[in-house]
Amino acid sequence: MKPTSINRFGTSRREAIKSSIGAASLAALGGTVPAAVATATVAVSTGPAQAQRMPQPAAPEITEPATGIIMQPDYARTIAQMAYVWGWPIVNMINRRAAITQAPQPGHLNGVLPAAPRGQIAMLADYIEPSETFVTCPNQDVVYGLGFFALDEEPVVIQVPDFGDRFWVYALYDARTDQFGEVGKPYGTRPGFYLLAGPNWKSLKPAGITEVIRCSTSLANAIPRVFQDDTPEDKKAIQPVINQIVAYPLKDFTGKMKTIEWAKVPDIQGPKSDGEETKWVVPEKFFDQFGQALELADPLPGEEALYGQFRLLLDAAAKDPELKKVLVAAAVDAEDKVIKPFFQWKHNGRPAGNGWNRSTNNARFGLDYFNRTGTAKSNMFDNRPTETQYFYTDNDGAGSELSGGGSYEITFAKGEEPPVNGFWSLTLYNDKHLFNPNDLKRYSLGTKNKNLKRNADGSLTLYAGVKSPGGDKEANWLPAPGGRFSLYLRAYWGKEGILNESWKPPVIKKVA
């Protein structure tokens, strides 16, 4: 092998050439070239002129898709399937906002779900009820709020009271279901008035506003989450705090904290539930709403080509009723073959060890369409990874499907419970990813529970199944339905082991 030559700076010629290429690339992009790299560049130059920045040709004009074409059905079907996967979460958001903002005033839809007119929020006064079907995988560790906004038309003020030592976070979502802003205990947010504004709002920060938080889309929503212990004392103590979680249009801002006693707001009559999540995306109507989805969210860097194809598709279908039928058929097919499988946890996130999967890029999806659409289908409105990590499974440690016909043990070794600054919990869901009604009214166990029984060695075993494990063990039991179910671990404000993925969820052991 021919030996590598070393230049007078002690750098191999091969490495110097690599450094030269890197420096030229940085310079072409307008970046700053580090001194060490610049030195290496000079070392391999044959003359001063070669070390100078070379003029770059102007970017060529990119041809946009031609309009007025007659699109063949198979091409339309191909683009339509991608459009369906890409646009599913945004159409989902559009339809949720349309439903929730029909509320005439802030209140509780069917007595169980926060609902409010556009530009406002409503809060619950306790954990969410098991009859809730607005969203899958609800949480019974926090008191929830919910509201939807049109931020370009009416910026919204959201109040932050003094939560003391209590964990809280306001998850603020754009039309794509990505979070914007950082409002919560993990961020050290101070009490005050925060203005949520859309991308085209032009005014200066009004007097009395603590901070302006920009959303990249006009459609947005807020879901406050406030931790509550499962004790009568804490349920009473939390009331004065949550009563100051109020949001309203900027025109109603007075500089003084508004208070609403959420335990006494009216119930609002709504559609009856059929026992599973409301069908927010109807494939037969999807392409009637898809144009609105494109208008709500400007292309992210790299998405311009997608938008060009999607708009061409809509243009062609608008002129050809038969082609529109192809789009509808493609949507129905994609719903069944692509969207529906996301309800199986093995298709969400990535493996986390011991038969579990974990969330990935949650609430900061960007161009990650796989995880964005999968989450929107299976467990919409996740928090960011730094706020919460989620672990989920439909199977036990041996790979068999979890079923109420069996009894299961989930044991955390001493010191191996999820490492968190906030709280953790294990929730049991039925095959619809909703709570399983039971006589104990118990749907999750974790930090909020003060009566969990530990083993003699300091480990903690939780039980899942139709049958109670009996005796002291019943305090650690999650009642299951007779059929299939899933288990779901939350780690709020995780420590290093959660964030760097070194912590693994425990094995689920079938014992009967």
Side-chain angles (χ1 to χ4, degrees):
M1 179 181 291
K2 184 177 180 180
T4 301
S5 61
I6 304 296
N7 63 29
R8 63 190 178 92
F9 293 95
T11 306
S12 73
R13 180 171 179 81
R14 183 180 301 141
E15 292 303 314
I17 291 171
K18 286 169 65 179
S19 296
S20 175
I21 293 170
S25 299
L26 279 171
L29 292 171
T32 302
V33 182
V37 176
T39 301
T41 304
V42 175
V44 296
S45 298
T46 58
Q50 287 180 308
Q52 296 175 1
R53 177 175 175 177
M54 301 298 291
Q56 297 297 310
E61 184 176 342
I62 303 298
T63 302
E64 296 291 334
T67 57
I69 63 168
I70 298 175
M71 188 178 289
Q72 57 158 305
D74 284 337
Y75 184 90
R77 185 178 296 109
T78 299
I79 304 302
Q81 287 178 327
M82 183 61 196
Y84 195 76
V85 172
W86 180 92
W88 203 92
I90 303 179
V91 171
N92 192 313
M93 284 284 280
I94 290 169
N95 291 330
R96 288 178 192 265
R97 181 175 71 174
I100 293 301
T101 56
Q102 290 181 26
Q105 63 193 59
H108 298 150
L109 189 63
N110 290 337
V112 300
L113 183 75
R118 191 183 69 184
Q120 301 181 59
I121 65 169
M123 290 291 299
L124 296 176
D126 199 349
Y127 298 141
I128 198 163
E129 288 291 320
S131 57
E132 179 278 328
T133 57
F134 171 78
V135 66
T136 51
C137 300
N139 179 348
Q140 272 220 343
D141 304 282
V142 300
V143 177
Y144 277 115
L146 176 65
F148 283 85
F149 317 126
L151 294 178
D152 279 344
E153 298 173 29
E154 47 182 17
V156 168
V157 176
I158 191 163
Q159 296 180 172
V160 173
D162 187 349
F163 289 94
D165 293 331
R166 189 182 297 274
F167 179 90
W168 66 281
V169 66
Y170 291 1
L172 309 172
Y173 300 94
D174 66 14
R176 296 171 178 269
T177 69
D178 280 338
Q179 278 186 233
F180 65 96
E182 295 181 340
V183 184
K185 190 173 181 62
Y187 309 110
T189 306
R190 66 186 190 275
F193 302 94
Y194 291 79
L195 184 67
L196 312 181
N200 299 317
W201 185 73
K202 304 297 184 185
S203 301
L204 299 175
K205 183 178 79 169
I209 293 294
T210 309
E211 183 183 335
V212 176
I213 301 173
R214 288 278 185 175
C215 179
S216 64
T217 62
S218 60
L219 189 161
N221 76 324
I223 303 183
R225 293 165 165 91
V226 185
F227 178 73
Q228 175 183 273
D229 282 334
D230 194 13
T231 64
E233 294 79 15
D234 203 42
K235 291 181 181 185
K236 181 179 179 180
I238 200 175
Q239 298 305 312
V241 181
I242 62 174
N243 287 345
Q244 287 190 313
I245 304 176
V246 183
Y248 40 83
L250 177 58
K251 63 183 176 60
D252 296 331
F253 176 60
T254 64
K256 296 182 179 179
M257 279 276 180
K258 301 180 188 295
T259 299
I260 297 177
E261 197 169 351
W262 293 114
K264 295 184 178 180
V265 296
D267 289 346
I268 300 168
Q269 190 66 36
K272 292 187 180 298
S273 170
D274 61 0
E276 56 184 285
E277 185 186 29
T278 304
K279 191 172 184 178
W280 296 110
V281 180
V282 179
E284 292 83 357
K285 298 179 180 179
F286 177 86
F287 282 102
D288 296 328
Q289 299 181 286
F290 186 55
Q292 183 184 358
L294 293 174
E295 294 304 317
L296 276 171
D298 289 338
L300 297 175
E303 285 191 323
E304 294 85 356
L306 272 180
Y307 274 62
Q309 293 297 314
F310 293 159
R311 289 194 166 112
L312 174 64
L313 182 73
L314 293 180
D315 178 71
K319 300 170 183 175
D320 185 346
E322 291 304 311
L323 198 65
K324 176 65 179 297
K325 292 178 182 177
V326 171
L327 268 59
V328 171
V332 171
D333 189 56
E335 177 71 27
D336 182 60
K337 295 179 180 177
V338 182
I339 304 299
K340 185 178 178 181
F342 278 125
F343 223 61
Q344 300 175 58
W345 289 122
K346 65 183 180 181
H347 296 309
N348 279 261
R350 59 172 172 252
N354 294 328
W356 299 74
N357 271 26
R358 65 179 290 150
S359 52
T360 303
N361 293 334
N362 32 309
R364 58 173 191 186
F365 300 109
L367 302 177
D368 187 349
Y369 309 137
F370 178 88
N371 281 298
R372 178 167 67 124
T373 302
T375 299
K377 173 60 179 177
S378 60
N379 54 324
M380 197 163 171
F381 300 124
D382 276 4
N383 290 89
R384 285 191 187 95
T386 51
E387 295 169 3
T388 317
Q389 271 294 330
Y390 306 86
F391 304 83
Y392 27 65
T393 185
D394 296 311
N395 304 97
D396 62 23
S400 298
E401 192 173 76
L402 294 170
S403 171
S407 295
Y408 304 87
E409 294 180 354
I410 307 97
T411 298
F412 300 87
K414 183 179 180 180
E416 289 299 317
E417 292 161 34
V420 293
N421 294 300
F423 64 89
W424 69 269
S425 65
L426 177 69
T427 303
L428 187 150
Y429 295 114
N430 64 19
D431 61 348
K432 307 294 191 300
H433 291 188
L434 298 170
F435 292 134
N436 167 53
N438 60 79
D439 292 340
L440 294 180
K441 297 184 179 180
R442 183 185 296 162
Y443 312 102
S444 66
L445 293 170
T447 304
K448 68 174 183 177
N449 302 99
K450 306 307 176 187
N451 61 343
L452 294 178
K453 307 299 182 183
R454 295 188 176 274
N455 302 318
D457 63 358
S459 62
L460 177 67
T461 300
L462 303 181
Y463 305 90
V466 170
K467 297 179 180 179
S468 168
D472 288 346
K473 294 180 179 179
E474 187 166 283
N476 295 19
W477 172 48
L478 287 172
R484 293 183 293 111
F485 68 89
S486 61
L487 291 171
Y488 196 105
L489 263 171
R490 287 176 171 86
Y492 266 78
W493 197 6
K495 294 182 179 180
E496 184 178 1
I498 296 293
L499 298 178
N500 66 17
E501 304 189 20
S502 61
W503 182 84
K504 305 296 182 188
V507 173
I508 301 171
K509 181 181 178 182
K510 185 175 182 180
V511 292

